[in-house]
Amino acid sequence: MGDLKRTPLFDLHVERGGKMVPFAGWEMPVQYPLGVMKEHLHTRAAAGLFDVSHMGQVILRCDPAALETLVPVDVVGLAEGRQRYGVFTNAAGGIMDDLMLANRGDHLFLVVNAAMADQDIAHLRAHLGDAVEVITDRALLALQGPKAEAALARIAPDVAGMRFMDLAVIPSDYGALWVSRSGYTGEDGYEISVGEAQATALAEALLTMEEVEPIGLGARDSLRLEAGLCLYGSDIDTTTTPIEAGLGWAIQKVRRTDRTDFPGAATILDQIENGAPRKRVGLLPEGRAPMRAGTQLFASPDAGDPIGSVTSGAFGPSIERPMSMGYVPTSSAAPGTTLFGDVRGKRLPVTVAPLPFRPATFKR
Amino acid sequence: MKYTEEHEWLDDVDGIVTVGITAHAAEQLGDIVFVELPEVGTEVTKDDEIVVIESVKAASDILAPIDGEIVEINEAIVEEPGKVNDDPEGEAWFFRIKPSEPEQMDDYMDENEYKDFIG
C-alpha cells in the first residue's frame, strides 16, 4: 500500500486492530475486531467514532453568491453557524460530487468526498481562484449515535445545545474544535474538525468512554444505506441528476424560482417541473440474499431487458434484512412495486420501498 | 480431519463426510448474513460451486471438495447465518456428502499442514 495516504489517526487504527484497506487513495480501517455487524449496532445503540479525515476540508473566502454558480443550493440564505447538504452539478445536470457546506461568518467551510477532493478543488479554483483554501492540517472525526451528545459534551459542554446542522467553533483541551451537529449515519451526532496534532488525543479521550467504540468503513456503509443516504460514485455520479437521485429537497425554492443560474439548470428545472424519467428507490429483497451493486432489475421473471439496476446493496444489521438502492423508471418507482433482481442467474423478487429504511434520529 | 486450500474442513465419519469452513475462513469473511445450500440428493463433482455465502463484505462460493451425493444439509445456518461465525468448526457445518471417489480425500491437508498453510 505504498502510495496510499494516511490520516493522523493511522497509528491509533492499527493499535486498535483496525483492518486497513485502500479506499479512495487512503489507507483506512474497514473494520475493527468488533466486526461490521456489531460496529453498526453499537453506533445505533450508543456511539461510534469514525475517522473521516480522508474527506476534503476547504475554506472559501468569497461572496456566498459566487459558490451558487457551482451548486444549486441556497448559499446566500444560509445563516451564520448553519450547515447544509448540497451537490456540485455539471452543465448536463449531472452530479459532480456531494458535499456539506457551512456559513462561518466571514467564510464558507466545505467538506467534500475523499475520492473527489482533487477534482472538486480544481473545479473550485477554476471558478473561484484564490478564494479557495484547502485545509491540510486538520483531522475530521465523526461521533455518531444516541450517546454521542453525552460523550462529546464531557469534552466540550457547549455541543449539547447545538441543533441538527448547527456548526460552531468550540474551544477545548484539544484546541479549537470545528463542530457540526451532523453526520452520515441517520443518527444524531457530530462531525469534529480538530488540529492534526491533537486528533489522536481527542480520539483516545472519546474512546476511553464506555459508550464509544471505533467504527470502520464497513459499518459506515451499512449505516448510511439504512439511512437512505447516497454514496458518491455508487448511487450518484455525473450520469444522475439531483432530481433522479431524489435530492430535489437540497435545491431550495429560491434556486428554483429566482437565482436559477447554476450548472445544469435547464435539465434540472425541467425535471422538477415535469418529472424525471427514472428515480432512485429503496429496494427490499423478499428473500435473504443481498442484492449488491450492479444487480440488474427486471419487470418480470421472464422479461428480456433490464429496466434498471442496483447501485448499493448490503445486509442491514438494524433492519435485520438485506436492503438495496437503485434506479428504475419512474413508472416502476411506486413503493410496493414488485421487481426481480438477477442474483447469480436467478430472478429473485424485490419490492420497491420508501427511503430511509430506518428513520433518522436527528435532533432538530 | 482434512482441510482444503479453499479453507473447508472435511470430517469423514463412517464413510459420510461432513463439510464446513474453517475458523480462519469465517474470520476472513466477516459477519455472514446469507447462506445458500445445495438440495439433498444433488450429485456433485469436485470443484462445483455448490454453496453461496454472503458476508457483510461480499459473496463467495464454496466448492464441492469431492465427488459424491449430498445426503444432508444444515438448515440451521440458512435460518441463522451468524452461526457460521460463532461455531464454524462445530455446530455450523454446511453439508454432508457420500463420496463416490473417497480417495480424493487423500489429496487434502491434515491439521498441521493446514496450520502451516494459513501461516
mmCIF file with all atom_site columns, all heavy atoms in Angstrom, chain A residues 19 31 35-38 288-290 292 315 344 346, chain B residues 31 33-34 36 52 54-59 78-79:
data_model
loop_
_atom_site.group_PDB
_atom_site.id
_atom_site.type_symbol
_atom_site.label_atom_id
_atom_site.label_alt_id
_atom_site.label_comp_id
_atom_site.label_asym_id
_atom_site.label_entity_id
_atom_site.label_seq_id
_atom_site.pdbx_PDB_ins_code
_atom_site.Cartn_x
_atom_site.Cartn_y
_atom_site.Cartn_z
_atom_site.occupancy
_atom_site.B_iso_or_equiv
_atom_site.pdbx_formal_charge
_atom_site.auth_seq_id
_atom_site.auth_comp_id
_atom_site.auth_asym_id
_atom_site.auth_atom_id
_atom_site.pdbx_PDB_model_num
ATOM 1   N N   . LYS A 1 19  ? -8.584  -3.235  10.505  1.00 0.00 ? 19  LYS A N   1
ATOM 2   C CA  . LYS A 1 19  ? -8.146  -3.912  9.277   1.00 0.00 ? 19  LYS A CA  1
ATOM 3   C C   . LYS A 1 19  ? -8.034  -2.844  8.199   1.00 0.00 ? 19  LYS A C   1
ATOM 4   O O   . LYS A 1 19  ? -9.034  -2.289  7.755   1.00 0.00 ? 19  LYS A O   1
ATOM 5   C CB  . LYS A 1 19  ? -9.160  -4.988  8.891   1.00 0.00 ? 19  LYS A CB  1
ATOM 6   C CG  . LYS A 1 19  ? -8.677  -5.889  7.767   1.00 0.00 ? 19  LYS A CG  1
ATOM 7   C CD  . LYS A 1 19  ? -9.735  -6.899  7.376   1.00 0.00 ? 19  LYS A CD  1
ATOM 8   C CE  . LYS A 1 19  ? -9.810  -8.079  8.329   1.00 0.00 ? 19  LYS A CE  1
ATOM 9   N NZ  . LYS A 1 19  ? -10.777 -9.111  7.849   1.00 0.00 ? 19  LYS A NZ  1
ATOM 10  N N   . GLN A 1 31  ? -12.777 -2.280  9.245   1.00 0.00 ? 31  GLN A N   1
ATOM 11  C CA  . GLN A 1 31  ? -13.443 -2.763  10.455  1.00 0.00 ? 31  GLN A CA  1
ATOM 12  C C   . GLN A 1 31  ? -12.410 -2.925  11.562  1.00 0.00 ? 31  GLN A C   1
ATOM 13  O O   . GLN A 1 31  ? -11.216 -2.920  11.322  1.00 0.00 ? 31  GLN A O   1
ATOM 14  C CB  . GLN A 1 31  ? -14.155 -4.087  10.207  1.00 0.00 ? 31  GLN A CB  1
ATOM 15  C CG  . GLN A 1 31  ? -13.196 -5.234  9.891   1.00 0.00 ? 31  GLN A CG  1
ATOM 16  C CD  . GLN A 1 31  ? -13.895 -6.581  9.898   1.00 0.00 ? 31  GLN A CD  1
ATOM 17  O OE1 . GLN A 1 31  ? -14.543 -6.951  8.928   1.00 0.00 ? 31  GLN A OE1 1
ATOM 18  N NE2 . GLN A 1 31  ? -13.765 -7.315  10.987  1.00 0.00 ? 31  GLN A NE2 1
ATOM 19  N N   . GLY A 1 35  ? -16.087 -6.133  14.475  1.00 0.00 ? 35  GLY A N   1
ATOM 20  C CA  . GLY A 1 35  ? -16.735 -6.608  13.250  1.00 0.00 ? 35  GLY A CA  1
ATOM 21  C C   . GLY A 1 35  ? -17.832 -5.663  12.777  1.00 0.00 ? 35  GLY A C   1
ATOM 22  O O   . GLY A 1 35  ? -18.422 -4.927  13.572  1.00 0.00 ? 35  GLY A O   1
ATOM 23  N N   . VAL A 1 36  ? -18.111 -5.718  11.474  1.00 0.00 ? 36  VAL A N   1
ATOM 24  C CA  . VAL A 1 36  ? -19.013 -4.745  10.843  1.00 0.00 ? 36  VAL A CA  1
ATOM 25  C C   . VAL A 1 36  ? -20.395 -4.732  11.498  1.00 0.00 ? 36  VAL A C   1
ATOM 26  O O   . VAL A 1 36  ? -20.955 -3.690  11.810  1.00 0.00 ? 36  VAL A O   1
ATOM 27  C CB  . VAL A 1 36  ? -19.139 -5.044  9.330   1.00 0.00 ? 36  VAL A CB  1
ATOM 28  C CG1 . VAL A 1 36  ? -20.179 -4.131  8.686   1.00 0.00 ? 36  VAL A CG1 1
ATOM 29  C CG2 . VAL A 1 36  ? -17.787 -4.883  8.633   1.00 0.00 ? 36  VAL A CG2 1
ATOM 30  N N   . MET A 1 37  ? -20.931 -5.934  11.721  1.00 0.00 ? 37  MET A N   1
ATOM 31  C CA  . MET A 1 37  ? -22.303 -6.024  12.247  1.00 0.00 ? 37  MET A CA  1
ATOM 32  C C   . MET A 1 37  ? -22.408 -5.376  13.628  1.00 0.00 ? 37  MET A C   1
ATOM 33  O O   . MET A 1 37  ? -23.296 -4.563  13.889  1.00 0.00 ? 37  MET A O   1
ATOM 34  C CB  . MET A 1 37  ? -22.701 -7.495  12.322  1.00 0.00 ? 37  MET A CB  1
ATOM 35  C CG  . MET A 1 37  ? -24.145 -7.730  12.547  1.00 0.00 ? 37  MET A CG  1
ATOM 36  S SD  . MET A 1 37  ? -24.992 -7.985  10.997  1.00 0.00 ? 37  MET A SD  1
ATOM 37  C CE  . MET A 1 37  ? -24.622 -9.698  10.711  1.00 0.00 ? 37  MET A CE  1
ATOM 38  N N   . LYS A 1 38  ? -21.503 -5.753  14.527  1.00 0.00 ? 38  LYS A N   1
ATOM 39  C CA  . LYS A 1 38  ? -21.579 -5.213  15.896  1.00 0.00 ? 38  LYS A CA  1
ATOM 40  C C   . LYS A 1 38  ? -21.205 -3.731  15.922  1.00 0.00 ? 38  LYS A C   1
ATOM 41  O O   . LYS A 1 38  ? -21.729 -2.973  16.735  1.00 0.00 ? 38  LYS A O   1
ATOM 42  C CB  . LYS A 1 38  ? -20.674 -6.021  16.831  1.00 0.00 ? 38  LYS A CB  1
ATOM 43  C CG  . LYS A 1 38  ? -21.183 -7.432  17.078  1.00 0.00 ? 38  LYS A CG  1
ATOM 44  C CD  . LYS A 1 38  ? -20.490 -8.061  18.285  1.00 0.00 ? 38  LYS A CD  1
ATOM 45  C CE  . LYS A 1 38  ? -21.040 -9.458  18.555  1.00 0.00 ? 38  LYS A CE  1
ATOM 46  N NZ  . LYS A 1 38  ? -20.117 -10.509 18.152  1.00 0.00 ? 38  LYS A NZ  1
ATOM 47  N N   . ARG A 1 288 ? -33.512 -13.667 1.625   1.00 0.00 ? 288 ARG A N   1
ATOM 48  C CA  . ARG A 1 288 ? -32.395 -13.265 2.469   1.00 0.00 ? 288 ARG A CA  1
ATOM 49  C C   . ARG A 1 288 ? -31.164 -12.877 1.663   1.00 0.00 ? 288 ARG A C   1
ATOM 50  O O   . ARG A 1 288 ? -30.197 -12.373 2.221   1.00 0.00 ? 288 ARG A O   1
ATOM 51  C CB  . ARG A 1 288 ? -31.981 -14.423 3.374   1.00 0.00 ? 288 ARG A CB  1
ATOM 52  C CG  . ARG A 1 288 ? -32.986 -14.762 4.436   1.00 0.00 ? 288 ARG A CG  1
ATOM 53  C CD  . ARG A 1 288 ? -32.662 -16.154 4.974   1.00 0.00 ? 288 ARG A CD  1
ATOM 54  N NE  . ARG A 1 288 ? -33.701 -16.624 5.857   1.00 0.00 ? 288 ARG A NE  1
ATOM 55  C CZ  . ARG A 1 288 ? -33.650 -16.494 7.178   1.00 0.00 ? 288 ARG A CZ  1
ATOM 56  N NH1 . ARG A 1 288 ? -32.627 -15.916 7.756   1.00 0.00 ? 288 ARG A NH1 1
ATOM 57  N NH2 . ARG A 1 288 ? -34.628 -16.961 7.931   1.00 0.00 ? 288 ARG A NH2 1
ATOM 58  N N   . ALA A 1 289 ? -31.157 -13.174 0.368   1.00 0.00 ? 289 ALA A N   1
ATOM 59  C CA  . ALA A 1 289 ? -29.956 -12.923 -0.424  1.00 0.00 ? 289 ALA A CA  1
ATOM 60  C C   . ALA A 1 289 ? -29.806 -11.427 -0.685  1.00 0.00 ? 289 ALA A C   1
ATOM 61  O O   . ALA A 1 289 ? -30.711 -10.806 -1.240  1.00 0.00 ? 289 ALA A O   1
ATOM 62  C CB  . ALA A 1 289 ? -30.025 -13.670 -1.750  1.00 0.00 ? 289 ALA A CB  1
ATOM 63  N N   . PRO A 1 290 ? -28.670 -10.838 -0.284  1.00 0.00 ? 290 PRO A N   1
ATOM 64  C CA  . PRO A 1 290 ? -28.458 -9.422  -0.598  1.00 0.00 ? 290 PRO A CA  1
ATOM 65  C C   . PRO A 1 290 ? -28.372 -9.221  -2.105  1.00 0.00 ? 290 PRO A C   1
ATOM 66  O O   . PRO A 1 290 ? -27.881 -10.081 -2.831  1.00 0.00 ? 290 PRO A O   1
ATOM 67  C CB  . PRO A 1 290 ? -27.100 -9.110  0.050   1.00 0.00 ? 290 PRO A CB  1
ATOM 68  C CG  . PRO A 1 290 ? -26.843 -10.212 1.027   1.00 0.00 ? 290 PRO A CG  1
ATOM 69  C CD  . PRO A 1 290 ? -27.548 -11.413 0.480   1.00 0.00 ? 290 PRO A CD  1
ATOM 70  N N   . ARG A 1 292 ? -26.528 -6.918  -4.500  1.00 0.00 ? 292 ARG A N   1
ATOM 71  C CA  . ARG A 1 292 ? -25.411 -5.976  -4.437  1.00 0.00 ? 292 ARG A CA  1
ATOM 72  C C   . ARG A 1 292 ? -25.441 -5.005  -5.607  1.00 0.00 ? 292 ARG A C   1
ATOM 73  O O   . ARG A 1 292 ? -26.174 -5.196  -6.576  1.00 0.00 ? 292 ARG A O   1
ATOM 74  C CB  . ARG A 1 292 ? -24.102 -6.760  -4.459  1.00 0.00 ? 292 ARG A CB  1
ATOM 75  C CG  . ARG A 1 292 ? -24.021 -7.878  -3.449  1.00 0.00 ? 292 ARG A CG  1
ATOM 76  C CD  . ARG A 1 292 ? -23.208 -7.504  -2.260  1.00 0.00 ? 292 ARG A CD  1
ATOM 77  N NE  . ARG A 1 292 ? -23.150 -8.603  -1.293  1.00 0.00 ? 292 ARG A NE  1
ATOM 78  C CZ  . ARG A 1 292 ? -22.792 -8.433  -0.024  1.00 0.00 ? 292 ARG A CZ  1
ATOM 79  N NH1 . ARG A 1 292 ? -22.465 -7.247  0.423   1.00 0.00 ? 292 ARG A NH1 1
ATOM 80  N NH2 . ARG A 1 292 ? -22.760 -9.455  0.797   1.00 0.00 ? 292 ARG A NH2 1
ATOM 81  N N   . PHE A 1 315 ? -26.462 -6.050  3.657   1.00 0.00 ? 315 PHE A N   1
ATOM 82  C CA  . PHE A 1 315 ? -27.345 -6.502  4.719   1.00 0.00 ? 315 PHE A CA  1
ATOM 83  C C   . PHE A 1 315 ? -27.490 -5.366  5.717   1.00 0.00 ? 315 PHE A C   1
ATOM 84  O O   . PHE A 1 315 ? -26.506 -4.715  6.071   1.00 0.00 ? 315 PHE A O   1
ATOM 85  C CB  . PHE A 1 315 ? -26.754 -7.738  5.391   1.00 0.00 ? 315 PHE A CB  1
ATOM 86  C CG  . PHE A 1 315 ? -27.652 -8.333  6.439   1.00 0.00 ? 315 PHE A CG  1
ATOM 87  C CD1 . PHE A 1 315 ? -28.686 -9.185  6.080   1.00 0.00 ? 315 PHE A CD1 1
ATOM 88  C CD2 . PHE A 1 315 ? -27.467 -8.040  7.784   1.00 0.00 ? 315 PHE A CD2 1
ATOM 89  C CE1 . PHE A 1 315 ? -29.526 -9.736  7.045   1.00 0.00 ? 315 PHE A CE1 1
ATOM 90  C CE2 . PHE A 1 315 ? -28.304 -8.590  8.754   1.00 0.00 ? 315 PHE A CE2 1
ATOM 91  C CZ  . PHE A 1 315 ? -29.335 -9.440  8.381   1.00 0.00 ? 315 PHE A CZ  1
ATOM 92  N N   . ARG A 1 344 ? -27.047 -14.218 -9.331  1.00 0.00 ? 344 ARG A N   1
ATOM 93  C CA  . ARG A 1 344 ? -26.413 -15.467 -9.762  1.00 0.00 ? 344 ARG A CA  1
ATOM 94  C C   . ARG A 1 344 ? -27.314 -16.258 -10.718 1.00 0.00 ? 344 ARG A C   1
ATOM 95  O O   . ARG A 1 344 ? -27.477 -17.468 -10.595 1.00 0.00 ? 344 ARG A O   1
ATOM 96  C CB  . ARG A 1 344 ? -26.039 -16.316 -8.547  1.00 0.00 ? 344 ARG A CB  1
ATOM 97  C CG  . ARG A 1 344 ? -24.958 -15.661 -7.681  1.00 0.00 ? 344 ARG A CG  1
ATOM 98  C CD  . ARG A 1 344 ? -24.615 -16.472 -6.455  1.00 0.00 ? 344 ARG A CD  1
ATOM 99  N NE  . ARG A 1 344 ? -25.577 -16.320 -5.383  1.00 0.00 ? 344 ARG A NE  1
ATOM 100 C CZ  . ARG A 1 344 ? -25.535 -15.363 -4.465  1.00 0.00 ? 344 ARG A CZ  1
ATOM 101 N NH1 . ARG A 1 344 ? -24.566 -14.480 -4.461  1.00 0.00 ? 344 ARG A NH1 1
ATOM 102 N NH2 . ARG A 1 344 ? -26.461 -15.297 -3.529  1.00 0.00 ? 344 ARG A NH2 1
ATOM 103 N N   . LYS A 1 346 ? -30.531 -16.180 -11.068 1.00 0.00 ? 346 LYS A N   1
ATOM 104 C CA  . LYS A 1 346 ? -31.933 -16.381 -10.667 1.00 0.00 ? 346 LYS A CA  1
ATOM 105 C C   . LYS A 1 346 ? -32.620 -15.041 -10.529 1.00 0.00 ? 346 LYS A C   1
ATOM 106 O O   . LYS A 1 346 ? -32.052 -14.100 -9.997  1.00 0.00 ? 346 LYS A O   1
ATOM 107 C CB  . LYS A 1 346 ? -31.990 -17.107 -9.309  1.00 0.00 ? 346 LYS A CB  1
ATOM 108 C CG  . LYS A 1 346 ? -31.600 -18.564 -9.372  1.00 0.00 ? 346 LYS A CG  1
ATOM 109 C CD  . LYS A 1 346 ? -31.757 -19.183 -7.973  1.00 0.00 ? 346 LYS A CD  1
ATOM 110 C CE  . LYS A 1 346 ? -30.809 -20.351 -7.785  1.00 0.00 ? 346 LYS A CE  1
ATOM 111 N NZ  . LYS A 1 346 ? -30.578 -20.680 -6.384  1.00 0.00 ? 346 LYS A NZ  1
ATOM 112 N N   . ASP B 2 31  ? -18.783 -11.000 9.191   1.00 0.00 ? 31  ASP B N   1
ATOM 113 C CA  . ASP B 2 31  ? -20.125 -11.428 9.604   1.00 0.00 ? 31  ASP B CA  1
ATOM 114 C C   . ASP B 2 31  ? -20.889 -12.003 8.426   1.00 0.00 ? 31  ASP B C   1
ATOM 115 O O   . ASP B 2 31  ? -21.108 -11.334 7.422   1.00 0.00 ? 31  ASP B O   1
ATOM 116 C CB  . ASP B 2 31  ? -20.900 -10.249 10.176  1.00 0.00 ? 31  ASP B CB  1
ATOM 117 C CG  . ASP B 2 31  ? -20.241 -9.666  11.409  1.00 0.00 ? 31  ASP B CG  1
ATOM 118 O OD1 . ASP B 2 31  ? -19.986 -10.440 12.343  1.00 0.00 ? 31  ASP B OD1 1
ATOM 119 O OD2 . ASP B 2 31  ? -19.980 -8.452  11.430  1.00 0.00 ? 31  ASP B OD2 1
ATOM 120 N N   . VAL B 2 33  ? -24.162 -13.244 6.512   1.00 0.00 ? 33  VAL B N   1
ATOM 121 C CA  . VAL B 2 33  ? -25.562 -12.818 6.556   1.00 0.00 ? 33  VAL B CA  1
ATOM 122 C C   . VAL B 2 33  ? -26.472 -13.661 5.671   1.00 0.00 ? 33  VAL B C   1
ATOM 123 O O   . VAL B 2 33  ? -27.695 -13.513 5.707   1.00 0.00 ? 33  VAL B O   1
ATOM 124 C CB  . VAL B 2 33  ? -25.690 -11.327 6.165   1.00 0.00 ? 33  VAL B CB  1
ATOM 125 C CG1 . VAL B 2 33  ? -24.929 -10.455 7.158   1.00 0.00 ? 33  VAL B CG1 1
ATOM 126 C CG2 . VAL B 2 33  ? -25.197 -11.056 4.745   1.00 0.00 ? 33  VAL B CG2 1
ATOM 127 N N   . PHE B 2 34  ? -25.887 -14.539 4.858   1.00 0.00 ? 34  PHE B N   1
ATOM 128 C CA  . PHE B 2 34  ? -26.702 -15.332 3.939   1.00 0.00 ? 34  PHE B CA  1
ATOM 129 C C   . PHE B 2 34  ? -25.941 -16.587 3.555   1.00 0.00 ? 34  PHE B C   1
ATOM 130 O O   . PHE B 2 34  ? -24.752 -16.539 3.262   1.00 0.00 ? 34  PHE B O   1
ATOM 131 C CB  . PHE B 2 34  ? -27.008 -14.519 2.674   1.00 0.00 ? 34  PHE B CB  1
ATOM 132 C CG  . PHE B 2 34  ? -27.711 -15.292 1.593   1.00 0.00 ? 34  PHE B CG  1
ATOM 133 C CD1 . PHE B 2 34  ? -29.058 -15.590 1.697   1.00 0.00 ? 34  PHE B CD1 1
ATOM 134 C CD2 . PHE B 2 34  ? -27.018 -15.731 0.470   1.00 0.00 ? 34  PHE B CD2 1
ATOM 135 C CE1 . PHE B 2 34  ? -29.708 -16.304 0.694   1.00 0.00 ? 34  PHE B CE1 1
ATOM 136 C CE2 . PHE B 2 34  ? -27.656 -16.441 -0.539  1.00 0.00 ? 34  PHE B CE2 1
ATOM 137 C CZ  . PHE B 2 34  ? -28.999 -16.729 -0.417  1.00 0.00 ? 34  PHE B CZ  1
ATOM 138 N N   . GLU B 2 36  ? -26.634 -20.151 1.104   1.00 0.00 ? 36  GLU B N   1
ATOM 139 C CA  . GLU B 2 36  ? -27.494 -20.956 0.229   1.00 0.00 ? 36  GLU B CA  1
ATOM 140 C C   . GLU B 2 36  ? -26.830 -22.315 0.061   1.00 0.00 ? 36  GLU B C   1
ATOM 141 O O   . GLU B 2 36  ? -25.665 -22.391 -0.331  1.00 0.00 ? 36  GLU B O   1
ATOM 142 C CB  . GLU B 2 36  ? -27.635 -20.256 -1.127  1.00 0.00 ? 36  GLU B CB  1
ATOM 143 C CG  . GLU B 2 36  ? -28.634 -20.909 -2.058  1.00 0.00 ? 36  GLU B CG  1
ATOM 144 C CD  . GLU B 2 36  ? -28.775 -20.086 -3.335  1.00 0.00 ? 36  GLU B CD  1
ATOM 145 O OE1 . GLU B 2 36  ? -27.981 -20.306 -4.268  1.00 0.00 ? 36  GLU B OE1 1
ATOM 146 O OE2 . GLU B 2 36  ? -29.645 -19.199 -3.383  1.00 0.00 ? 36  GLU B OE2 1
ATOM 147 N N   . VAL B 2 52  ? -23.356 -20.822 -1.656  1.00 0.00 ? 52  VAL B N   1
ATOM 148 C CA  . VAL B 2 52  ? -23.067 -19.396 -1.715  1.00 0.00 ? 52  VAL B CA  1
ATOM 149 C C   . VAL B 2 52  ? -23.097 -18.856 -0.296  1.00 0.00 ? 52  VAL B C   1
ATOM 150 O O   . VAL B 2 52  ? -24.033 -19.138 0.460   1.00 0.00 ? 52  VAL B O   1
ATOM 151 C CB  . VAL B 2 52  ? -24.097 -18.650 -2.579  1.00 0.00 ? 52  VAL B CB  1
ATOM 152 C CG1 . VAL B 2 52  ? -23.820 -17.153 -2.550  1.00 0.00 ? 52  VAL B CG1 1
ATOM 153 C CG2 . VAL B 2 52  ? -24.088 -19.171 -3.997  1.00 0.00 ? 52  VAL B CG2 1
ATOM 154 N N   . GLU B 2 54  ? -22.768 -15.161 1.743   1.00 0.00 ? 54  GLU B N   1
ATOM 155 C CA  . GLU B 2 54  ? -22.607 -13.713 1.658   1.00 0.00 ? 54  GLU B CA  1
ATOM 156 C C   . GLU B 2 54  ? -22.266 -13.206 3.039   1.00 0.00 ? 54  GLU B C   1
ATOM 157 O O   . GLU B 2 54  ? -22.955 -13.486 4.016   1.00 0.00 ? 54  GLU B O   1
ATOM 158 C CB  . GLU B 2 54  ? -23.910 -13.056 1.191   1.00 0.00 ? 54  GLU B CB  1
ATOM 159 C CG  . GLU B 2 54  ? -24.303 -13.475 -0.212  1.00 0.00 ? 54  GLU B CG  1
ATOM 160 C CD  . GLU B 2 54  ? -24.398 -12.301 -1.173  1.00 0.00 ? 54  GLU B CD  1
ATOM 161 O OE1 . GLU B 2 54  ? -23.927 -11.201 -0.831  1.00 0.00 ? 54  GLU B OE1 1
ATOM 162 O OE2 . GLU B 2 54  ? -24.937 -12.516 -2.266  1.00 0.00 ? 54  GLU B OE2 1
ATOM 163 N N   . SER B 2 55  ? -21.194 -12.443 3.105   1.00 0.00 ? 55  SER B N   1
ATOM 164 C CA  . SER B 2 55  ? -20.854 -11.774 4.354   1.00 0.00 ? 55  SER B CA  1
ATOM 165 C C   . SER B 2 55  ? -21.240 -10.311 4.205   1.00 0.00 ? 55  SER B C   1
ATOM 166 O O   . SER B 2 55  ? -21.729 -9.898  3.157   1.00 0.00 ? 55  SER B O   1
ATOM 167 C CB  . SER B 2 55  ? -19.363 -11.896 4.634   1.00 0.00 ? 55  SER B CB  1
ATOM 168 O OG  . SER B 2 55  ? -18.649 -11.039 3.778   1.00 0.00 ? 55  SER B OG  1
ATOM 169 N N   . VAL B 2 56  ? -21.018 -9.540  5.268   1.00 0.00 ? 56  VAL B N   1
ATOM 170 C CA  . VAL B 2 56  ? -21.267 -8.108  5.158   1.00 0.00 ? 56  VAL B CA  1
ATOM 171 C C   . VAL B 2 56  ? -20.398 -7.499  4.061   1.00 0.00 ? 56  VAL B C   1
ATOM 172 O O   . VAL B 2 56  ? -20.703 -6.431  3.555   1.00 0.00 ? 56  VAL B O   1
ATOM 173 C CB  . VAL B 2 56  ? -21.006 -7.376  6.497   1.00 0.00 ? 56  VAL B CB  1
ATOM 174 C CG1 . VAL B 2 56  ? -22.115 -7.673  7.478   1.00 0.00 ? 56  VAL B CG1 1
ATOM 175 C CG2 . VAL B 2 56  ? -19.658 -7.752  7.074   1.00 0.00 ? 56  VAL B CG2 1
ATOM 176 N N   . LYS B 2 57  ? -19.338 -8.164  3.685   1.00 0.00 ? 57  LYS B N   1
ATOM 177 C CA  . LYS B 2 57  ? -18.434 -7.589  2.684   1.00 0.00 ? 57  LYS B CA  1
ATOM 178 C C   . LYS B 2 57  ? -18.769 -8.023  1.266   1.00 0.00 ? 57  LYS B C   1
ATOM 179 O O   . LYS B 2 57  ? -18.800 -7.198  0.364   1.00 0.00 ? 57  LYS B O   1
ATOM 180 C CB  . LYS B 2 57  ? -16.994 -8.016  2.981   1.00 0.00 ? 57  LYS B CB  1
ATOM 181 C CG  . LYS B 2 57  ? -16.445 -7.443  4.268   1.00 0.00 ? 57  LYS B CG  1
ATOM 182 C CD  . LYS B 2 57  ? -15.049 -8.002  4.536   1.00 0.00 ? 57  LYS B CD  1
ATOM 183 C CE  . LYS B 2 57  ? -14.734 -7.962  6.010   1.00 0.00 ? 57  LYS B CE  1
ATOM 184 N NZ  . LYS B 2 57  ? -13.703 -8.908  6.382   1.00 0.00 ? 57  LYS B NZ  1
ATOM 185 N N   . ALA B 2 58  ? -18.970 -9.327  1.030   1.00 0.00 ? 58  ALA B N   1
ATOM 186 C CA  . ALA B 2 58  ? -19.062 -9.797  -0.346  1.00 0.00 ? 58  ALA B CA  1
ATOM 187 C C   . ALA B 2 58  ? -19.645 -11.197 -0.386  1.00 0.00 ? 58  ALA B C   1
ATOM 188 O O   . ALA B 2 58  ? -19.811 -11.855 0.641   1.00 0.00 ? 58  ALA B O   1
ATOM 189 C CB  . ALA B 2 58  ? -17.674 -9.806  -0.982  1.00 0.00 ? 58  ALA B CB  1
ATOM 190 N N   . ALA B 2 59  ? -19.933 -11.648 -1.611  1.00 0.00 ? 59  ALA B N   1
ATOM 191 C CA  . ALA B 2 59  ? -20.397 -13.012 -1.822  1.00 0.00 ? 59  ALA B CA  1
ATOM 192 C C   . ALA B 2 59  ? -19.204 -13.902 -2.128  1.00 0.00 ? 59  ALA B C   1
ATOM 193 O O   . ALA B 2 59  ? -18.262 -13.480 -2.781  1.00 0.00 ? 59  ALA B O   1
ATOM 194 C CB  . ALA B 2 59  ? -21.371 -13.047 -2.990  1.00 0.00 ? 59  ALA B CB  1
ATOM 195 N N   . VAL B 2 78  ? -28.871 -21.707 7.413   1.00 0.00 ? 78  VAL B N   1
ATOM 196 C CA  . VAL B 2 78  ? -29.661 -20.921 6.472   1.00 0.00 ? 78  VAL B CA  1
ATOM 197 C C   . VAL B 2 78  ? -30.567 -19.976 7.266   1.00 0.00 ? 78  VAL B C   1
ATOM 198 O O   . VAL B 2 78  ? -30.722 -18.801 6.946   1.00 0.00 ? 78  VAL B O   1
ATOM 199 C CB  . VAL B 2 78  ? -30.485 -21.841 5.548   1.00 0.00 ? 78  VAL B CB  1
ATOM 200 C CG1 . VAL B 2 78  ? -31.387 -21.024 4.630   1.00 0.00 ? 78  VAL B CG1 1
ATOM 201 C CG2 . VAL B 2 78  ? -29.552 -22.729 4.733   1.00 0.00 ? 78  VAL B CG2 1
ATOM 202 N N   . GLU B 2 79  ? -31.159 -20.534 8.334   1.00 0.00 ? 79  GLU B N   1
ATOM 203 C CA  . GLU B 2 79  ? -32.033 -19.732 9.196   1.00 0.00 ? 79  GLU B CA  1
ATOM 204 C C   . GLU B 2 79  ? -31.248 -18.668 9.947   1.00 0.00 ? 79  GLU B C   1
ATOM 205 O O   . GLU B 2 79  ? -31.710 -17.545 10.123  1.00 0.00 ? 79  GLU B O   1
ATOM 206 C CB  . GLU B 2 79  ? -32.746 -20.646 10.213  1.00 0.00 ? 79  GLU B CB  1
ATOM 207 C CG  . GLU B 2 79  ? -33.699 -21.653 9.591   1.00 0.00 ? 79  GLU B CG  1
ATOM 208 C CD  . GLU B 2 79  ? -34.828 -20.972 8.829   1.00 0.00 ? 79  GLU B CD  1
ATOM 209 O OE1 . GLU B 2 79  ? -35.396 -20.000 9.359   1.00 0.00 ? 79  GLU B OE1 1
ATOM 210 O OE2 . GLU B 2 79  ? -35.104 -21.404 7.698   1.00 0.00 ? 79  GLU B OE2 1
#
